[in-house]
Amino acid sequence: MSARAVMPGPARWAVRLSLLWLLAGSLVGAWLLAAGAGWMAAPGGRWLLAHADWMRFGWMTQFALGVACWILPRLPREPKFGPALPMIGGFVVLNVGLLLVTLGLLFAGRLLVVAGLLGVLFSLQARLRLRAGAR
Amino acid sequence: MPIVTRAYVFAALLWLLLSLAAGLVLAAPGRFPAAWVAVVMGPGWTHMWALGWLTQLIFGIAWWLLPTIDRQRGRGTAWPLWLGFVCLNLGLPLRLLAEPAARAAPAPAWASIGVLLAAAMLLAAGTCFVIPMWRRVR
């Protein structure tokens, strides 16, 4: 089995978490839509912000970065995936930030989301500079 | 590239074109029929590019790209993805038509039912992607 056939741990968890955010975001989106047509009680405005952030950052951005951690050219020496701490810490902080957004702590939540994304990008930056096929 | 991926990517590109056209409608609403403006106003335009274009493109490419289940089963059965494709590409236009109509006073009965149906279809589209992909994330 080639090394590409299995994702590294942080990428695997990022993609799994993004799938969970997609499910949660779809559920809240369907609730907001049905409530708008009078089928259900209208949720507070906080849920609209949570739905938007879950889908933008929890689903799309986290999925893209998770796949990038797996698919980008690897470094020629250890650590081949780039520094692990900013990558793992970045994904953890990103997801904690999304939970804070859900709790209505919008500023603190988005601050953590940005910090998390910067952590992951910092971890990937050396790999982003490699030419495709250089691994 | 698997056929289901091609279908998703082709549909995503069509939604990209539609959302670009809708952006023009939003930029100069006075030049277009009021019904067109109503369809793309509010959350309609956002969902055209976020769901019709980006999410659909991700769904299709992820099915092609992510690790296979194993050597025998390959990517697994594609029927949930096909079901999700139908739900997404029927649910999204239904939402675009029914949501503005449901906001009118008095709202026609079809619009209210259409919104509920669209909500169920869009939720189903996400679920139909997550379930088969979960075991491929390994």
Side-chain angles (χ1 to χ4, degrees), chain A residues 2 7 19 28 30 32 37 44 48-49 56 60 63 66 71 75-76 82 90 93 96 102 104 121 127 129 135:
Chain A
S2 77
M7 295 174 151
L19 293 177
V28 172
L32 289 162
L48 181 59
L49 288 173
R56 280 184 297 210
M60 286 186 210
F63 186 90
I71 212 81
L75 298 174
V93 168
V96 171
T102 313
L121 289 173
R127 292 170 65 192
R129 290 202 303 267
R135 57 178 182 266

Side-chain angles (χ1 to χ4, degrees), chain B residues 11-47:
Chain B
L13 290 170
L14 285 181
W15 278 109
L16 172 64
L17 285 179
L18 279 175
S19 64
L20 291 173
L24 291 178
V25 174
L26 283 179
R31 293 171 188 239
F32 296 93
W36 292 18
V37 179
V39 165
V40 294
M41 268 294 208
W45 185 55
T46 308
H47 284 85

Side-chain angles (χ1 to χ4, degrees), chain B residues 4-101:
Chain B
V4 70
T5 295
R6 274 188 260 173
Y8 269 96
V9 173
F10 185 68
L13 290 170
L14 285 181
W15 278 109
L16 172 64
L17 285 179
L18 279 175
S19 64
L20 291 173
L24 291 178
V25 174
L26 283 179
R31 293 171 188 239
F32 296 93
W36 292 18
V37 179
V39 165
V40 294
M41 268 294 208
W45 185 55
T46 308
H47 284 85
M48 284 173 87
W49 63 259
L51 199 52
W53 158 235
L54 279 179
T55 296
Q56 188 153 225
L57 184 75
I58 295 172
F59 281 5
I61 298 295
W63 176 257
W64 177 37
L65 189 69
L66 258 59
T68 50
I69 302 168
D70 56 35
R71 201 177 286 268
Q72 285 76 37
R73 285 178 288 180
R75 295 185 179 91
T77 177
W79 73 260
L81 265 283
W82 280 114
L83 182 62
F85 178 79
V86 171
C87 285
L88 202 160
N89 288 290
L90 287 180
L92 187 52
L94 182 59
R95 180 213 173 121
L96 293 175
L97 293 174
E99 197 180 17

Side-chain angles (χ1 to χ4, degrees), chain A residues 17-39:
Chain A
L17 284 167
S18 76
L19 293 177
L20 291 180
W21 285 119
L22 169 64
L23 263 189
S26 303
L27 200 60
V28 172
W31 176 27
L32 289 162
L33 193 53
W39 287 98

Side-chain angles (χ1 to χ4, degrees), chain A residues 50-72:
Chain A
H51 166 69
D53 278 15
W54 293 359
M55 293 310 237
R56 280 184 297 210
F57 304 116
W59 154 234
M60 286 186 210
T61 309
Q62 185 164 221
F63 186 90
L65 287 176
V67 170
C69 289
W70 169 50
I71 212 81
L72 281 176

